[in-house]
Amino acid sequence: MWYTDSMTHHKTDYAIIHAEILAESQPLLIQDGGILVAQGKIQKIFADSTEAQRQAEKLNLEIIDAGGGYLGPGLIDMHIHGCGGHDTGEQDLQTALESMAEFLCQRGITSFQPAVFPSVETMERTQTALEASRTAAYHVASVYNEGPFIAPEKKGGLPAESLRPFTADYMAQLLSFRHPATGRPLLGTMTVAPELEGADTAWEMAAEAGARIAWGHSAAYADELPPRVGVHLTHLFNAMNGIDHRRPGLAIVPFLQQFQDATYELIADTVHVNQLTMEFLVRSLGTERLCLISDAMAAAGMGPGESVYLGRQVVCDGRVSRYKEGNILIGSAMLIHDTGRQLVEAGLIDVAGFFRIASVNPARVLGLTDRGAIEVGRRADLALLDKELKVQAVFVGRRD
């Protein structure tokens, strides 16, 4: 009953009072605070609800009482293939992206980076879909390409036909598409296996264009890695060599001094990464560089069942999705509002940590300065949660 259309509010001018607010300028939650929103953007943040209410009444704004709930920035899933019965492999990509956006909004996830088949043709289709849809263009931050320059032996559930050797020409084509709403590169993140020929050139080209290379789907060992600043890892521990005590692989990167600024994605459904491993990770490194992702498929949020992805039958048990043939794990069936809440329930993170890994950090990694924090001037994309971190209401700024 938590997820209904009425929970998503498309408002431009209003006030919220009696909220515990996670504000960017505060190390802790503001107790009994309030905010004013004007033209879909955060105009003012108050440490005192009484003053917020007084200002709102003076401006004749609609006043929403949060009832002591947690108010944080709308969540951002920077790596997702599908949800709510739709995915990025559908022919009608515009409808798929719009449907995913609405489904995610009802769960407090107001921005996402869809993972699409890594080809020039798909990038062109995605750009066309965003040009035709204000809704999709507003909620889709950019696009995630897992590949095509990855290690075949670590492709996991990715289709073999999506892989190809690196060429600068093909890379340039992938980087040529633009997000119609922001003018930024449509390709926000691309997974590359760092050991492959051309990986360094791919990194340099992406950096010059304003896109982000993520190391992943890789057979590399840590002693083979080039020195880099700003490393990001695709779904840590998955589709890479692990932390072997004799010769560790890519999974050890976030723990190394030479990669002390490395950011990394975590699928926290307890299947992709064991609960004890997540405890080891969070207790060791905290949450400053962690980005919570779903890596979800179409069945996410729909419960157990079967579906089709890129022409192959998929079985979902309500927690993860696997190809029916071969029982290959291909993605999660849980979204980040649920997995983040489970991390809080397990005592691994607090409420501030929840919003940090599910919004603040992904926004920072993707270079999104207009969202991902409750800060004056940013989008009023907001998630209101109760004390159990269940979604009570979602607010979305202007889509035009």
Side-chain angles (χ1 to χ4, degrees), residues 145-181:
N145 276 184
E146 279 189 272
F149 315 125
I150 59 174
E153 64 269 39
K154 292 292 185 179
K155 68 179 181 63
L158 300 177
E161 59 269 25
S162 71
L163 279 59
R164 63 186 297 147
F166 174 83
T167 67
D169 178 67
Y170 201 77
M171 183 71 180
Q173 291 183 65
L174 292 172
L175 290 167
S176 67
F177 299 96
R178 315 302 292 186
H179 193 299

Side-chain angles (χ1 to χ4, degrees), residues 38-54:
Q39 297 184 332
K41 293 187 177 182
I42 298 168
Q43 185 180 60
K44 196 166 185 179
I45 304 166
F46 296 87
D48 177 12
S49 266
T50 302
E51 179 61 19
Q53 182 171 350
R54 190 184 70 80

Side-chain angles (χ1 to χ4, degrees), residues 81 88-89 93 114-126 143-148 158-164 170 174 309-310:
H81 297 261
T88 58
L93 191 52
V116 305
F117 190 91
S119 71
V120 170
E121 293 74 19
T122 305
M123 291 295 293
E124 184 174 13
R125 289 179 53 233
T126 306
V143 165
Y144 204 123
N145 276 184
E146 279 189 272
L158 300 177
E161 59 269 25
S162 71
L163 279 59
R164 63 186 297 147
Y170 201 77
L174 292 172
Y309 181 64
L310 296 177

Side-chain angles (χ1 to χ4, degrees), residues 215 222 225 231-237 240-243 249-266 280-281 284-286 289-290:
W215 285 347
L225 298 174
V231 168
H232 183 74
L233 296 179
T234 296
H235 44 52
L236 183 64
F237 299 118
M240 62 181 62
N241 291 329
I243 305 179
L250 207 57
I252 204 171
V253 163
F255 300 88
L256 300 178
Q257 180 67 23
Q258 68 193 88
F259 297 112
Q260 59 183 316
D261 68 338
T263 53
Y264 46 92
E265 302 165 8
L266 177 68
F280 165 70
L281 176 69
S284 300
L285 301 180
R289 297 180 286 141
L290 192 161

Side-chain angles (χ1 to χ4, degrees), residues 199-371:
D200 289 344
T201 303
W203 181 291
E204 292 160 5
M205 292 179 68
E208 184 177 352
R212 190 75 177 257
I213 293 296
W215 285 347
H217 286 279
S218 163
Y221 290 97
D223 57 17
E224 300 173 325
L225 298 174
R228 287 287 184 191
V229 174
V231 168
H232 183 74
L233 296 179
T234 296
H235 44 52
L236 183 64
F237 299 118
N238 288 273
M240 62 181 62
N241 291 329
I243 305 179
D244 181 86
H245 69 290
R246 295 190 184 277
R247 198 182 186 198
L250 207 57
I252 204 171
V253 163
F255 300 88
L256 300 178
Q257 180 67 23
Q258 68 193 88
F259 297 112
Q260 59 183 316
D261 68 338
T263 53
Y264 46 92
E265 302 165 8
L266 177 68
I267 310 171
D269 57 21
T270 72
V271 177
H272 281 84
V273 182
N274 181 271
Q275 181 73 22
L276 294 176
T277 305
M278 289 193 288
E279 181 175 350
F280 165 70
L281 176 69
V282 175
R283 300 289 187 215
S284 300
L285 301 180
T287 58
E288 294 301 322
R289 297 180 286 141
L290 192 161
C291 297
L292 187 65
I293 65 163
S294 67
D295 196 24
M297 310 303 290
M302 304 291 286
E306 296 194 11
S307 59
V308 176
Y309 181 64
L310 296 177
R312 298 180 65 178
Q313 200 70 22
V314 174
V315 178
C316 172
D317 63 5
R319 186 168 289 272
V320 296
S321 294
R322 302 175 185 270
Y323 282 134
K324 191 170 187 178
E325 182 182 353
N327 198 38
I328 299 171
L329 182 64
I330 61 168
S332 186
M334 298 183 68
L335 297 171
I336 61 174
H337 70 298
D338 281 329
T339 56
R341 185 173 66 246
Q342 288 182 359
L343 290 174
V344 174
E345 292 170 348
L348 294 182
I349 60 174
D350 58 13
V351 175
F354 171 88
F355 283 110
R356 184 180 302 117
I357 68 176
S359 187
V360 176
N361 291 351
R364 176 166 51 86
V365 169
L366 295 177
L368 303 174
T369 58
D370 63 344
R371 66 197 88 172

